[in-house]
Every structure is written in C-alpha cells, then in structure tokens.
Amino acid sequence: MALEYDALILSRLQFAFTVAFHILFPAFTIGLAAYLAVLEGLWLRTKREAYKTLYLFWVKVFAISFGMGVVSGIVLSYQFGTNWSEFIRLTGGVIGPLLAYEVLTAFFLEASFLGVMLFGWKKVGPRLHFLATCLVAIGTSISAFWILSANSWMQTPAGYEVLADGRIVATSFMEAIFNPSFPTRLAHMLIAAFLTTALVVGAASAFQLLRNRGQEESRLALKMAIGLIAVLAPVQVLVGHESGLVAKDHQPQKLAAIEAYWETDANHPLILFAIPDRATQSNHFELAIPGGGVLVAPADEVVTGLDAFAPEDQPPVFIVFWSFRVMVGLGVLMLGLGLWGAWLVWRKRFADDRLFLRFAVLMGPSGFVAVVAGWVVTEVGRQPWVVQGLVRTADAVSPVTAGSVATSLLIYVTVYAIVFVAGAIYVLRLLREGPVAGAAEPKPEGQRAPGTPLAAAPEDAPGDPS
Amino acid sequence: MSLDLPLIWAGLIATGVLLYVLLDGFDLGVGILFPFSRNKEDRDVMMNTVAPVWDGNETWLVLGGGGLLAAFPLAYSIVMPAFYLPVILMLAGLILRGVAFEFRFRGQRRGRPFWTAMFAFGSILAAFAQGLILGGFIQGIEVVDDRFAGGTFDWFTPYTLLVAAGLVCGYALLGAAWLMWKTADELHGDARRWAVISGVLTALFLVGVSLSTLVVHPVVAERWGWTGGGLDFGRFLPLAWIPLLGLIGLGLVGWGVRRASHGWPFVGAVLVFLSGYAGLAAGFFPYVAPYSVDFRAAAAPDNALALMLVGTVVILPLILAYTGWVYWVFRGKVTPEAGYH
C-alpha cells in the first residue's frame, strides 16, 4: 500500500510538473499566432515595412516557442496512459473523442502549415503564406477549444452515465462537450493567452524603447500591446468572475477553498489575507473586509463552506487560496498597466515615460505566472477528484511502481531543464536584439547566403562539430 | 445498415500508425545518420530536407496515441503502463531531437555542437525505444482483470533488443533513401553508401527477428504454419506475399542504388516497411493488447466511435490533402542555398 501511495504522489508531481511546463507555451503561442496573422494581414494591406519587420522578428520567437510546445504536448497525450491509465479506462469513452478531435481538427492543421509559415516564404505567394499563418493561428485556438472542453468536463461532468462496471459513457456528446463550465473557462483561457502575448510583446518593445526611444517597430508594437491589454484586462476580470459563479453552482468546494470559507453561511467577509489550516479547519492571521463577500454572492445568499465536506473531500485550501490571490493580484496590475498605457498613448507620451516602460518590462512574465496560478486554482481546487464527484484522483493512477515513476520524473526534470534553459536563452537573446528593419529580408532563391531568412546564423570556424 | 465500428477503427488506427512509421521513420532516420555526415554544411542540408515536415510527421504519433485512447481506451490503459519506461525514453528522445531543429540554428559556439549531438542522440533513442515497445508487443503483455499485471522490465529481453536494433537500422534505411531522393552531389553519394549499409543490416535483422519470433512466440509461429519443426503450407501460402513483398522492397533498394536512381530506393524501403508491418498484423490480429485483449473487447462505446467516425470521414481526407500539398510545396532537391534558416 505504501508503494502505491508513493506512485500516486510521484505521478501527481510529474503531471503537475509536465503540465505546468507545457501550458506556458500554448498560453504564449495562441496569442502570438494570432498576432502574427494580424501583422502579416496589415502588411499585405498597407505595405508598411514596419509590420513585415515585426512579423519576421516575432516569427522567430514563435518558431522556438511552438517547437517546445509541440514536444511537451506529446508527453501529455502519452502520460494519460503511462500514469493515469485507470482514469482513461473509466472515462475514455467520453474524454477520448474530445482529445481525438483535437488531434484531427487542430494538431495536423498547426503542424502542417507551420512548415509553410516558417520555411515557405519563397515557395508560395504572399497570399498563400498569409493563409498558412492564419490556419496556424486558427489551429491553436481550435486546440484550446477541445482541451478546455475535456478539462471542463472533468470539472463539471454532463451528458454521461455510469455503467455497472464503473466505466463512464456519454449519453449526449453535445451536453458533454458544452458542459456547464466550458464556455466561461474557454473564454477565460483564450483571453489569458492573448494577454500573455500582449504582455511579452509590450515588455520586449518597452525594453527596446528604453535603449532607443525612436525605434519605429517597437513604438508600433508597444502601442498595439497597450491597446490589447487596456481592452482585455477589464474583460478578463468580468469573465473570471463569471467563471467563479459557475464554480459556486457546480463546484462549491472549489469556491469555498478559493475564498477560505470554512463555514456555510450568508454575508461572508472578503478575506484578503489568511493562512488556511486544514488541521484546525480554520484560518490563522485572517485579514478580511466585513460584508465584502457581496463580490461572491448577494449578502443574503447562503454560500457553501468547507464544513459541508468531510476533511478527506476538501481540496488543499492553502494552495488554492493563495494561487487565486497571485492570479488576481497580477490581474489587477495588468489592469493598471493597460489604463496607464492607454492614458499615455492618448497623451502621445508612451515612448517617453521611462517609469512606465520599466513597469511594462517588469510585467512581461506576469501572464505566464498568472496562467500557471490559475491552472493551479482550477486543478487543485477540484481535488480529491480527477473527475468531479465521479472518479477520485487516487483511483485514477496506473498500476506502475514508484521506482518507475521516480525514474521518469527524474528524466523529465533533467530533459525539461536542459530544454527550458536553452529555449529561454535563445528567446531572450532574440528579444535583446529586437526587430531590425531589413535584417531578415527574404531574397529570391539562389541570391542569398545560407542563414536567411529566419535566422542569420553566424559562421563557424572550420572543423566545428556543429 | 450497421457498421462494424470497432473493426473500422482498428483499421484506421493501424493505418495511422503505419503512416507514422513511414513518415517519422525517414526523419528519425536522418537523425540516426547525422553522426556519419562529413561536415556542418551537409548536416544543415540533411536537417533542411525534413525541417518543414517533421512536425506534421510526428502528429501521426499523437493520432496513434490519441486514437488508441479514444477508440480502444482499455488497450491504451493496458499498453502504456506495460511499456512505461520505453515510452518515457521515446518521449525524451523526441523532445531532444524536436527542439534541436530550432535550437541548433540558434546555438552559438557551444550550443550548436550540443544540439547537433542531441538531434542524433534523440533520434536514435526514440527509434530504439519504439523498437523495444514493438518487441514487447510481439512478446505479449500480461493482463489480469483488464489491467497490466506484468513486471517493470518485461520489455527488456534479448528479443526486444534485437527488434529495437533492427528498427534503428530500418529507420536509417528509410532516412538514407529519403536523402538520396532529396539531395545532390557528394551528400547524395554518401546517402547511397548509407543506404547500402543500412539495407544489408535491415535485411539481416529482418531475417533474425522473423526466425526468433517463431521461436519466442509459438502463437505467432502457428499462424505462419510453423508447428513443431514442420511448415504447414496450407497456412503459410496465403501469407507468402508478405515476405515476398519484403524481398521485392529490398531488391528495389539494391537495384535503385546500383542504378544510382534517386527515387526508387525510397519506394523500396517503404515496401520493406509495409511487408514488416503486414507481417506483424498477421501475427497480432485481432489483438490490441497481445495476446489476451482483442479489439472488440477494448473498443469504446459505439456512440463514441460513431461520433469520431463522422468527423474522421470528413477531416482525414482533408489532412491527407494538405499534407500532400505541403510535401508538394517543398518538392525537389534541397541544396545548401535553400537556406531555410
């Protein structure tokens, strides 16, 4: 029994690690693909060179990030089997088709047209190339549709029945796909992805402007990023709130953990700071706004607290409570960045305010942190269930030994560390160089040295084993 | 009219896995041949022959895994834990070689040689791990009560090591034949030599694996008409086209290499793989987790299979069409001047 317990813990650790690693890349590439499509479309329309320079710059960053997203995604599609085979044995009849549709409608589209997008500049015409960029962008969003549908079904299962042998099958795939939490969670994730991209593009552009305030491409890109953040950050607050209301109806234990409400009661306070403790079933060092709970529910509505659940059916409150506050805190900062930026754009001073530019640089990684924090809220908040109310995480694990899982975890950590460090170095190196007009001009075949158009690799000394 | 959905899905997934083996086979093969290349320029060209298509090729592996999960969840939930460590090794290999496509061109003094090595290492590791899984499959998986019940290292035997080495050589043959097709001049000449060596090795491994399969697994041997030291021709003859196809394939490789042909060796290598694949299918069918769970027992509910079939009938031809188009866009020889990067 002790052995099985270890395999479970290690499998959870491994899944959390590999998902958290993977989610960084879709969170960035969904938005970046759409941004590239917009840039190329604007370039085709206006023929303004700055758009093309920006496109050729950001497509390099995209190529690196997308590759890392692809390979870390393959791991996930196999990990369901290697580590969570019981989960698939029980729910494969419902989850399976959703994942299969993701492969059919999204993965092939992205992967195939990515080749044309990255290497097809002089092989196809500009319109066809633009189409390829658009299809990659659409593919990334379709992918989000299916994976959010599958994950939302695990949060709020619908359209299913449980057979006598414990397996779960669909009675209505429409209900299963469009389950109660799906629409808000999809919107929340897509907006998060666009925000993440806008924050990175904004930070990279602000960094260039701090060095050279006249840089045309960076001014253009920063303005676009500010516009997107100013619009999307407030929308995200509303969508996130809506998502919380769905949780209140369908996953009360998650909402109670988010707000650290131990007692089922009306007129809750809004808890700003606390150390929730499952051992004592209460909060330490609580700092709260009395009556602030109206943000969650009207003052006279009774909100389910954690006392409605046996201790073994409660999620780890501390993690959920604090991850939520990290996410929301960063959201507030994004809101501030958007407003401040919009004000400066209006006053035509956004490239001169060095304090603002520094703030924009600092906010560059905030989208990634918020996405991972939000993912922790939703996944840890569902515990101890892997499928809310139907399958416990402890019953979903594969019949593999702790030794095997420890080995695989070690391999993943090692490989991901190498890949992540290298990828981060290459991306940051690119961002430091910044977009340079004319540097990546695609030339007709035969007139161009190797090393263009997408990467000007420096020449090596002879005999270099590269 | 009622469709035999599990059978259709068994066929679809078998086709998907075959396409994966053929498509990712040649681009893994290019990686396996990396250590034998002369210089950086040759390696750039080799990588560029597959750079625009490798991602699409690898997606067939996701379809294979995802399709098995969706259509035969029981088989998926037995097979993956059974081959836990080889699957992890395969994934690690695929990660390292996958990122190498971009990283190798980004790396500088230390980075580039490192990612060159990782491209080769990852390709070989992924191919070898796939061979271990394949060998373990043929050996059979111990199942009790619909769950994997074997040991952690059941997949590690002399037999699986033989299969794995054979698959690495087979992929190298595909890769060499692909390079003969896609490259010119000196590199084409190198590829031709690699095709000869890997072709001979593949032929030897094919014979070795085939014979040892008859010894290792009596169930498979019986299917081929091999019982107690004698050959039952009534059983063997309907399957005789399979080894014959393999011989034709090897012959085509040899003939194409001798004639300095550009395209025929690749056709021959594909035929060799088709033969091997059909040979496996003849040994396995109808099992998806050999030799206890067949595709009917493992199938997902009919409504799930039907839902997926509706989409697949529409989308799969589209996928094949645009995949074909991408290959068409990048047709022809790849030269150092192609400079994708």
Side-chain angles (χ1 to χ4, degrees):
Chain A
M1 193 61 213
L3 206 66
E4 282 171 39
Y5 183 70
D6 288 344
L8 173 66
I9 291 289
L10 289 166
S11 288
R12 290 185 63 180
L13 208 59
Q14 178 173 300
F15 201 79
F17 173 70
T18 50
V19 173
F21 182 87
H22 173 69
I23 203 171
L24 298 175
F25 301 101
F28 181 44
T29 52
I30 289 171
L32 194 52
Y35 181 54
L36 287 168
V38 169
L39 286 174
E40 193 173 14
L42 285 171
W43 174 62
L44 286 176
R45 239 180 114 93
T46 65
K47 294 290 165 208
R48 187 172 163 189
E49 278 303 303
Y51 287 124
K52 188 167 131 192
T53 308
L54 278 175
Y55 180 94
L56 290 172
F57 171 67
W58 283 104
V59 81
K60 294 183 213 168
V61 178
F62 182 77
I64 296 175
S65 323
F66 197 86
M68 291 165 78
V70 167
V71 292
S72 58
I74 297 178
V75 168
L76 295 183
S77 84
Y78 278 81
Q79 203 166 200
F80 287 131
T82 50
N83 296 76
W84 305 102
S85 64
E86 281 296 291
F87 166 59
I88 292 304
R89 195 179 68 81
L90 295 171
T91 65
V94 185
I95 292 273
L98 275 48
L99 299 177
Y101 266 107
E102 186 183 15
V103 182
L104 286 170
T105 59
F107 289 165
F108 277 109
L109 201 66
E110 296 171 73
S112 300
F113 288 98
L114 180 75
V116 178
M117 182 179 165
L118 296 185
F119 306 108
W121 266 109
K122 54 198 173 5
K123 300 266 182 188
V124 298
R127 278 169 199 288
L128 213 46
H129 190 270
F130 176 53
L131 179 70
T133 308
C134 289
L135 288 172
V136 171
I138 293 168
T140 57
S141 291
I142 296 177
S143 170
F145 175 95
W146 291 111
I147 201 66
L148 262 294
S149 175
N151 185 269
S152 297
W153 186 83
M154 293 160 65
Q155 309 285 345
T156 54
Y160 67 90
E161 69 174 329
V162 182
L163 300 181
D165 64 359
R167 286 185 304 138
I168 298 162
V169 296
T171 50
S172 160
F173 271 108
M174 280 308 277
E175 284 176 29
I177 293 168
F178 294 97
N179 59 76
S181 65
F182 172 55
T184 44
R185 298 186 69 239
L186 176 65
H188 200 45
M189 181 67 215
L190 285 178
I191 296 171
F194 286 121
L195 274 174
T196 301
T197 307
L199 288 160
V200 174
V201 170
S205 310
F207 178 76
Q208 293 300 326
L209 290 174
L210 278 169
R211 298 199 300 189
N212 171 13
R213 62 171 293 275
Q215 229 263 343
E216 187 202 353
E217 287 80 9
S218 296
R219 292 178 75 105
L220 185 62
L222 180 59
K223 205 152 68 171
M224 291 172 89
I226 288 172
L228 202 65
I229 296 166
V231 173
L232 286 186
V235 173
Q236 184 70 321
V237 173
L238 299 176
V239 172
H241 181 66
E242 203 55 42
S243 200
L245 294 183
V246 175
K248 187 175 71 180
D249 294 337
H250 295 271
Q251 298 181 285
Q253 97 282 10
K254 185 191 282 184
L255 185 83
I258 285 173
E259 302 296 350
Y261 291 164
W262 293 97
E263 282 136 34
T264 304
D265 202 354
N267 197 18
H268 276 286
L270 182 69
I271 298 170
L272 297 178
F273 182 97
I275 307 290
D277 187 348
R278 271 212 285 185
T280 61
Q281 296 280 304
S282 65
N283 295 329
H284 306 300
F285 310 109
E286 189 178 292
L287 177 72
I289 304 175
V294 286
L295 279 179
V296 182
D300 55 352
E301 185 183 321
V302 175
V303 176
T304 311
L306 289 159
D307 58 1
F309 306 92
E312 68 269 20
D313 287 346
Q314 295 169 354
V317 185
F318 181 87
I319 299 174
V320 179
F321 177 85
W322 278 108
S323 302
F324 183 80
R325 268 141 195 82
V326 168
M327 176 183 77
V328 171
L330 289 172
V332 170
L333 288 176
M334 291 173 205
L335 210 61
L337 180 73
L339 286 175
W340 188 3
W343 164 258
L344 291 174
V345 169
W346 185 51
R347 302 303 304 267
K348 298 197 172 20
R349 289 198 291 120
F350 71 95
D352 305 302
D353 192 323
R354 297 183 67 84
L355 195 62
F356 171 76
L357 293 177
R358 288 211 187 88
F359 181 44
V361 172
L362 275 179
M363 286 296 282
S366 63
F368 294 110
V369 180
V371 163
V372 171
W375 172 78
V376 169
V377 171
T378 199
E379 293 295 290
V380 178
R382 191 193 55 227
Q383 303 300 331
W385 305 97
V386 65
V387 181
Q388 174 78 40
L390 292 176
V391 184
R392 280 173 188 274
T393 309
D395 298 329
V397 75
S398 292
V400 289
T401 61
S404 293
V405 188
T407 309
S408 64
L409 183 57
L410 192 69
I411 293 174
Y412 280 131
V413 170
T414 311
V415 170
Y416 280 24
I418 295 171
V419 168
F420 188 84
V421 168
I425 288 173
Y426 298 143
V427 168
L428 290 175
R429 204 184 270 165
L430 275 171
L431 295 183
R432 197 181 55 204
E433 284 166 18
V436 185
E441 191 78 19
K443 299 193 187 94
E445 191 149 17
Q447 297 181 13
R448 177 173 32 79
T452 50
L454 291 172
E459 288 308 312
D460 277 286
D464 187 53
S466 57
Chain B
M1 192 186 77
S2 81
L3 294 169
D4 188 347
L5 288 167
L7 183 65
I8 292 172
W9 272 102
L12 278 172
I13 288 172
T15 311
V17 172
L18 173 64
L19 278 171
Y20 169 73
V21 169
L22 293 177
L23 293 175
D24 212 27
F26 73 72
D27 76 48
L28 284 169
V30 168
I32 294 166
L33 294 169
F34 236 48
F36 305 100
S37 56
R38 287 170 198 264
N39 52 39
K40 174 184 170 295
E41 283 66 36
D42 279 1
R43 285 188 286 278
D44 287 351
V45 173
M46 287 167 76
M47 211 171 204
N48 279 339
T49 64
V50 291
V53 293
W54 75 272
D55 196 350
N57 294 346
E58 217 153 83
T59 306
W60 292 97
L61 181 68
V62 184
L63 182 72
L68 190 68
L69 185 166
F72 304 103
L74 180 59
Y76 180 82
S77 68
I78 292 170
V79 169
M80 294 297 157
F83 301 122
Y84 190 88
L85 290 173
V87 167
I88 305 290
L89 291 176
M90 172 185 84
L91 294 171
L94 290 176
I95 292 170
L96 290 171
R97 79 179 290 275
V99 297
F101 279 98
E102 275 298 318
F103 286 8
R104 188 169 164 271
F105 284 91
R106 297 279 154 211
Q108 295 175 353
R109 217 147 292 284
R110 277 168 306 172
R112 191 125 37 108
F114 177 75
W115 290 110
T116 297
M118 282 301 120
F119 185 62
F121 171 74
S123 300
I124 294 167
L125 181 64
F128 196 80
Q130 286 176 11
L132 292 174
I133 296 170
L134 175 63
F137 230 78
I138 306 172
Q139 284 186 141
I141 301 167
E142 202 181 321
V143 176
V144 175
D145 195 19
D146 280 352
R147 289 167 184 88
F148 169 63
T152 309
F153 292 98
D154 282 5
W155 47 269
F156 190 80
T157 63
Y159 175 75
T160 58
L161 292 174
L162 183 72
V163 176
L167 192 65
V168 173
C169 289
Y171 280 167
L173 171 62
L174 269 176
W178 167 261
L179 288 173
M180 285 181 71
W181 188 15
K182 297 293 285 183
T183 65
D185 305 329
E186 192 182 61
L187 181 55
H188 174 86
D190 287 345
R192 193 173 155 195
R193 203 177 62 248
W194 298 334
V196 172
I197 297 167
S198 57
V200 169
L201 287 173
T202 303
L204 289 175
F205 275 112
L206 265 180
V207 172
V209 168
S210 301
L211 291 179
S212 47
T213 303
L214 298 182
V215 179
V216 166
H217 222 288
V219 178
V220 177
E222 209 182 301
R223 294 232 172 152
W224 287 88
W226 182 262
T227 38
L231 193 61
D232 177 356
F233 280 91
R235 286 202 164 187
F236 177 72
L237 284 180
L239 297 176
W241 64 272
I242 294 173
L244 202 62
L245 186 69
L247 282 176
I248 293 173
L250 285 170
L252 213 51
V253 172
W255 177 78
V257 166
R258 188 178 284 256
R259 287 263 318 265
S261 156
H262 289 241
W264 284 110
F266 190 69
V267 177
V270 168
L271 290 184
V272 172
F273 268 84
L274 279 176
S275 152
Y277 200 73
L280 289 172
F284 283 162
F285 192 83
Y287 297 111
V288 279
Y291 293 87
S292 55
V293 178
D294 68 23
F295 71 92
R296 282 183 204 289
D302 267 3
N303 69 344
L305 295 179
L307 175 76
M308 289 190 289
L309 191 62
V310 174
T312 306
V313 166
V314 179
I315 301 163
L316 199 61
L318 270 175
I319 292 173
L320 291 171
Y322 64 63
T323 302
W325 177 74
V326 170
Y327 274 86
W328 173 252
V329 165
F330 294 100
R331 68 192 176 277
K333 298 282 183 190
V334 177
T335 56
E337 286 77 43
Y340 289 144
H341 268 281

PDB file of all heavy atoms in Angstrom, chain A residues 242-255:
ATOM      1  N   GLU A 242     -17.413  35.508 -13.818  1.00  0.00           N
ATOM      2  CA  GLU A 242     -18.458  34.604 -14.313  1.00  0.00           C
ATOM      3  C   GLU A 242     -18.048  33.150 -14.067  1.00  0.00           C
ATOM      4  O   GLU A 242     -18.857  32.316 -13.657  1.00  0.00           O
ATOM      5  CB  GLU A 242     -18.658  34.872 -15.818  1.00  0.00           C
ATOM      6  CG  GLU A 242     -19.991  34.475 -16.371  1.00  0.00           C
ATOM      7  CD  GLU A 242     -21.152  35.112 -15.628  1.00  0.00           C
ATOM      8  OE1 GLU A 242     -21.099  36.321 -15.279  1.00  0.00           O
ATOM      9  OE2 GLU A 242     -22.113  34.368 -15.366  1.00  0.00           O
ATOM     10  N   SER A 243     -16.777  32.866 -14.323  1.00  0.00           N
ATOM     11  CA  SER A 243     -16.251  31.517 -14.123  1.00  0.00           C
ATOM     12  C   SER A 243     -16.377  31.107 -12.651  1.00  0.00           C
ATOM     13  O   SER A 243     -16.698  29.961 -12.334  1.00  0.00           O
ATOM     14  CB  SER A 243     -14.789  31.498 -14.569  1.00  0.00           C
ATOM     15  OG  SER A 243     -14.371  30.206 -14.832  1.00  0.00           O
ATOM     16  N   GLY A 244     -16.137  32.063 -11.775  1.00  0.00           N
ATOM     17  CA  GLY A 244     -16.280  31.814 -10.343  1.00  0.00           C
ATOM     18  C   GLY A 244     -17.712  31.489  -9.962  1.00  0.00           C
ATOM     19  O   GLY A 244     -17.977  30.624  -9.122  1.00  0.00           O
ATOM     20  N   LEU A 245     -18.668  32.179 -10.610  1.00  0.00           N
ATOM     21  CA  LEU A 245     -20.077  31.919 -10.304  1.00  0.00           C
ATOM     22  C   LEU A 245     -20.475  30.506 -10.737  1.00  0.00           C
ATOM     23  O   LEU A 245     -21.268  29.838 -10.060  1.00  0.00           O
ATOM     24  CB  LEU A 245     -20.966  32.949 -11.007  1.00  0.00           C
ATOM     25  CG  LEU A 245     -20.797  34.393 -10.516  1.00  0.00           C
ATOM     26  CD1 LEU A 245     -21.772  35.324 -11.223  1.00  0.00           C
ATOM     27  CD2 LEU A 245     -20.992  34.480  -9.000  1.00  0.00           C
ATOM     28  N   VAL A 246     -19.908  30.058 -11.871  1.00  0.00           N
ATOM     29  CA  VAL A 246     -20.189  28.676 -12.309  1.00  0.00           C
ATOM     30  C   VAL A 246     -19.664  27.697 -11.264  1.00  0.00           C
ATOM     31  O   VAL A 246     -20.324  26.716 -10.921  1.00  0.00           O
ATOM     32  CB  VAL A 246     -19.551  28.391 -13.688  1.00  0.00           C
ATOM     33  CG1 VAL A 246     -19.728  26.936 -14.068  1.00  0.00           C
ATOM     34  CG2 VAL A 246     -20.151  29.294 -14.753  1.00  0.00           C
ATOM     35  N   ALA A 247     -18.475  27.981 -10.732  1.00  0.00           N
ATOM     36  CA  ALA A 247     -17.903  27.115  -9.703  1.00  0.00           C
ATOM     37  C   ALA A 247     -18.796  27.094  -8.460  1.00  0.00           C
ATOM     38  O   ALA A 247     -18.968  26.056  -7.818  1.00  0.00           O
ATOM     39  CB  ALA A 247     -16.496  27.572  -9.342  1.00  0.00           C
ATOM     40  N   LYS A 248     -19.376  28.242  -8.129  1.00  0.00           N
ATOM     41  CA  LYS A 248     -20.240  28.303  -6.944  1.00  0.00           C
ATOM     42  C   LYS A 248     -21.396  27.320  -7.073  1.00  0.00           C
ATOM     43  O   LYS A 248     -21.778  26.637  -6.121  1.00  0.00           O
ATOM     44  CB  LYS A 248     -20.767  29.734  -6.766  1.00  0.00           C
ATOM     45  CG  LYS A 248     -21.537  29.922  -5.462  1.00  0.00           C
ATOM     46  CD  LYS A 248     -21.929  31.366  -5.259  1.00  0.00           C
ATOM     47  CE  LYS A 248     -23.025  31.766  -6.247  1.00  0.00           C
ATOM     48  NZ  LYS A 248     -23.438  33.171  -6.090  1.00  0.00           N
ATOM     49  N   ASP A 249     -21.949  27.238  -8.297  1.00  0.00           N
ATOM     50  CA  ASP A 249     -23.088  26.345  -8.511  1.00  0.00           C
ATOM     51  C   ASP A 249     -22.680  24.886  -8.633  1.00  0.00           C
ATOM     52  O   ASP A 249     -23.402  24.002  -8.202  1.00  0.00           O
ATOM     53  CB  ASP A 249     -23.836  26.754  -9.798  1.00  0.00           C
ATOM     54  CG  ASP A 249     -24.481  28.122  -9.642  1.00  0.00           C
ATOM     55  OD1 ASP A 249     -24.717  28.514  -8.482  1.00  0.00           O
ATOM     56  OD2 ASP A 249     -24.728  28.786 -10.659  1.00  0.00           O
ATOM     57  N   HIS A 250     -21.508  24.630  -9.276  1.00  0.00           N
ATOM     58  CA  HIS A 250     -21.171  23.255  -9.627  1.00  0.00           C
ATOM     59  C   HIS A 250     -20.034  22.670  -8.817  1.00  0.00           C
ATOM     60  O   HIS A 250     -19.922  21.461  -8.692  1.00  0.00           O
ATOM     61  CB  HIS A 250     -20.825  23.161 -11.119  1.00  0.00           C
ATOM     62  CG  HIS A 250     -21.987  23.471 -12.008  1.00  0.00           C
ATOM     63  ND1 HIS A 250     -22.875  22.510 -12.422  1.00  0.00           N
ATOM     64  CD2 HIS A 250     -22.419  24.628 -12.550  1.00  0.00           C
ATOM     65  CE1 HIS A 250     -23.806  23.067 -13.196  1.00  0.00           C
ATOM     66  NE2 HIS A 250     -23.549  24.356 -13.285  1.00  0.00           N
ATOM     67  N   GLN A 251     -19.143  23.499  -8.324  1.00  0.00           N
ATOM     68  CA  GLN A 251     -18.000  23.008  -7.538  1.00  0.00           C
ATOM     69  C   GLN A 251     -17.863  23.844  -6.274  1.00  0.00           C
ATOM     70  O   GLN A 251     -16.877  24.568  -6.105  1.00  0.00           O
ATOM     71  CB  GLN A 251     -16.711  23.079  -8.354  1.00  0.00           C
ATOM     72  CG  GLN A 251     -16.721  22.210  -9.607  1.00  0.00           C
ATOM     73  CD  GLN A 251     -15.409  22.319 -10.351  1.00  0.00           C
ATOM     74  OE1 GLN A 251     -15.135  23.307 -11.000  1.00  0.00           O
ATOM     75  NE2 GLN A 251     -14.585  21.287 -10.240  1.00  0.00           N
ATOM     76  N   PRO A 252     -18.852  23.748  -5.395  1.00  0.00           N
ATOM     77  CA  PRO A 252     -18.833  24.620  -4.205  1.00  0.00           C
ATOM     78  C   PRO A 252     -17.572  24.461  -3.371  1.00  0.00           C
ATOM     79  O   PRO A 252     -17.122  25.428  -2.746  1.00  0.00           O
ATOM     80  CB  PRO A 252     -20.081  24.179  -3.425  1.00  0.00           C
ATOM     81  CG  PRO A 252     -20.504  22.880  -4.015  1.00  0.00           C
ATOM     82  CD  PRO A 252     -20.022  22.860  -5.429  1.00  0.00           C
ATOM     83  N   GLN A 253     -16.973  23.264  -3.369  1.00  0.00           N
ATOM     84  CA  GLN A 253     -15.769  23.081  -2.544  1.00  0.00           C
ATOM     85  C   GLN A 253     -14.612  23.918  -3.087  1.00  0.00           C
ATOM     86  O   GLN A 253     -13.754  24.379  -2.342  1.00  0.00           O
ATOM     87  CB  GLN A 253     -15.409  21.592  -2.402  1.00  0.00           C
ATOM     88  CG  GLN A 253     -14.354  21.048  -3.348  1.00  0.00           C
ATOM     89  CD  GLN A 253     -14.909  20.781  -4.745  1.00  0.00           C
ATOM     90  OE1 GLN A 253     -16.024  21.152  -5.080  1.00  0.00           O
ATOM     91  NE2 GLN A 253     -14.121  20.141  -5.588  1.00  0.00           N
ATOM     92  N   LYS A 254     -14.604  24.107  -4.413  1.00  0.00           N
ATOM     93  CA  LYS A 254     -13.537  24.905  -5.007  1.00  0.00           C
ATOM     94  C   LYS A 254     -13.702  26.369  -4.611  1.00  0.00           C
ATOM     95  O   LYS A 254     -12.739  27.022  -4.209  1.00  0.00           O
ATOM     96  CB  LYS A 254     -13.561  24.763  -6.533  1.00  0.00           C
ATOM     97  CG  LYS A 254     -12.406  25.482  -7.213  1.00  0.00           C
ATOM     98  CD  LYS A 254     -12.561  25.576  -8.714  1.00  0.00           C
ATOM     99  CE  LYS A 254     -12.210  24.279  -9.402  1.00  0.00           C
ATOM    100  NZ  LYS A 254     -12.264  24.415 -10.878  1.00  0.00           N
ATOM    101  N   LEU A 255     -14.933  26.869  -4.720  1.00  0.00           N
ATOM    102  CA  LEU A 255     -15.154  28.270  -4.359  1.00  0.00           C
ATOM    103  C   LEU A 255     -14.843  28.514  -2.884  1.00  0.00           C
ATOM    104  O   LEU A 255     -14.201  29.498  -2.520  1.00  0.00           O
ATOM    105  CB  LEU A 255     -16.603  28.683  -4.661  1.00  0.00           C
ATOM    106  CG  LEU A 255     -16.815  30.173  -4.413  1.00  0.00           C
ATOM    107  CD1 LEU A 255     -16.365  30.989  -5.603  1.00  0.00           C
ATOM    108  CD2 LEU A 255     -18.243  30.478  -4.048  1.00  0.00           C
TER     109      LEU A 255
END
